[in-house]
């Protein structure tokens, strides 16, 4: 599904240049659950934006289903983002003036469904994430964990190929955070959805098929980590 070759994202900051992502090679197969950990500033979010076509690398290739994302027009990238990639963020990013049901319906807009079946689908998704009693609540009337459940339902509503999650448990206490990770794992398994999860949560590696660690823009896999630890 994904094939990353020598992916680099440099930022120029005054006279200096930072390689936020530095020469990353990575292959992700359909249906995989990949977790990425690493210290603050190591390039995790930057890598995720490259995977989601929100940004282009300054070097290397991000191939998604045989298509080099760096070479796509803005229009093509927008279409890909709209249909293929679902995003979940630490801050939930729900629309504050819409209730839970309407937020999930908004996530279905790319599918161009009739409003009635959209409403039905959104209701069902909210039930699946355990919020059937909260469909008419505004985000401000929901707890953090509940808001993140709505955000998960919204991200999955268009049935994206890939779910990209950037520290979805960063604003939640550890018990609720573990529930959210479990929910993401459960959903992705049920729908054979590919997941790339950036997290500080050690819990995540229990569900991930592979866990990577980023350091200074570099991506280290389990084997290389073990090797580094042994030296
Ligand atoms: N738009 C930008 N312009 C300049 N530098 C940037 C930009 N975005 C990120 N960086 C730099 O790139 C590096 C990696 O940032 P990134 O946000 O990817 O880290 P992160 O691993 O997600 O950190 P955190 O765990 O704190 O979220 C940092 O040094 C950051 O300052
Ligand atoms: Mg980040």
């Amino acid at each position: 599904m994904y094939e990353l070759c020598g992916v680099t994202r440099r930022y120029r900051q005054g006279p200096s240049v930072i390689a936020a992502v530095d020469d990353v090679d990575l292959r992700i197969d359909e249906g995989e659950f990949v977790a990425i950990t690493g210290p603050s500033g190591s390039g995790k979010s930057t890598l995720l934006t490259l995977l989601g076509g929100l940004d282009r690398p300054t070097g290397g290739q991000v191939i998604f289903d045989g298509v080099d994302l760096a070479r796509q027009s803005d229009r093509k990238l927008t279409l890909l983002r709209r249909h293929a990639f679902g995003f979940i963020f630490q801050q939930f990013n729900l629309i504050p003036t819409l209730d839970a049901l309407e937020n999930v319906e908004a996530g279905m807009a790319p599918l161009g469904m009739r409003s009635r079946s959209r409403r039905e689908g959104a209701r069902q998704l909210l039930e699946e994430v355990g919020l059937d009693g909260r469909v008419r609540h505004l985000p401000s009337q929901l707890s953090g964990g509940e808001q993140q459940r709505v955000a998960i339902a919204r991200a999955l509503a268009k049935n994206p190929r890939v779910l990209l999650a950037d520290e979805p448990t960063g604003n939640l206490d550890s018990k609720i955070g573990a529930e959210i990770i479990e929910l993401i794992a459960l959903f992705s398994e049920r729908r054979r959805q590919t997941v790339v999860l950036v997290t500080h949560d050690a819990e995540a590696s229990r569900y991930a098929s592979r866990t990577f660690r980023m350091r200074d823009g570099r991506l280290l896999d389990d084997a290389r980590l073990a090797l580094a630890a042994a030296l």
Side-chain angles (χ1 to χ4, degrees):
M1 164 173 268
Y2 276 111
E3 190 94 45
L4 277 64
C5 298
V7 170
T8 300
R9 178 60 166 102
R10 291 197 181 83
Y11 290 113
R12 187 177 295 282
Q13 200 86 103
S16 59
V17 175
I18 307 165
V21 171
D22 191 6
D23 197 18
V24 165
D25 296 326
L26 175 64
R27 197 196 140 94
I28 301 176
D29 291 328
E30 182 118 42
E32 264 200 283
F33 188 129
V34 171
I36 299 176
T37 66
S40 182
S42 58
K44 305 181 298 296
S45 295
T46 306
L47 181 62
L48 217 57
T49 61
L50 295 173
L51 289 174
L54 291 163
D55 186 21
R56 293 186 175 84
T58 47
Q61 294 175 305
V62 180
I63 313 277
F64 176 75
D65 281 350
V67 170
D68 185 354
L69 296 189
R71 290 174 176 276
Q72 302 307 303
S73 65
D74 284 346
R75 212 180 71 81
K76 277 238 175 80
L77 269 189
T78 303
L79 276 176
L80 254 176
R81 269 203 307 273
R82 198 175 291 162
H83 292 279
F85 306 131
F87 295 90
I88 308 177
F89 304 96
Q90 181 173 348
Q91 319 288 353
F92 321 131
N93 292 7
L94 298 175
I95 300 169
T97 51
L98 301 183
D99 65 28
L101 192 66
E102 291 162 342
N103 264 284
V104 178
E105 281 185 55
M108 289 174 159
L111 299 177
M113 296 159 77
R114 282 171 183 280
S115 70
R116 198 197 189 124
S117 42
R118 202 164 58 213
R119 179 137 303 198
E120 208 37 60
R123 211 176 269 282
Q124 200 171 331
L125 271 162
L126 282 172
E127 196 179 314
E128 278 188 69
V129 298
L131 285 182
D132 29 333
R134 300 282 188 281
V135 288
R136 285 301 174 197
H137 286 231
L138 292 170
S140 61
Q141 298 167 328
L142 295 167
S143 72
E146 288 169 345
Q147 287 182 61
Q148 196 59 296
R149 284 170 189 269
V150 176
I152 292 171
R154 179 183 60 178
L156 294 174
K158 62 183 180 185
N159 208 10
R161 303 276 314 281
V162 187
L163 186 64
L164 300 164
D166 196 350
E167 302 203 33
T169 64
N171 278 356
L172 305 172
D173 72 40
S174 57
K175 183 174 164 286
I176 304 296
E179 286 174 17
I180 291 295
I181 302 255
E182 196 184 345
L183 185 67
I184 292 172
L186 198 86
F187 257 83
S188 59
E189 199 182 315
R190 202 184 288 156
R191 301 169 160 227
R192 289 200 42 74
Q193 203 131 35
T194 310
V195 178
V196 183
L197 170 69
V198 166
T199 182
H200 285 297
D201 214 320
E203 186 81 5
S205 10
R206 280 200 10 216
Y207 300 101
S209 52
R210 286 184 295 157
T211 303
F212 294 91
R213 202 175 158 74
M214 282 200 86
R215 205 161 55 198
D216 300 329
R218 299 266 180 166
L219 191 68
L220 307 169
D221 63 18
D222 300 333
R224 277 194 249 175
L225 275 174
L227 192 66
L231 289 177

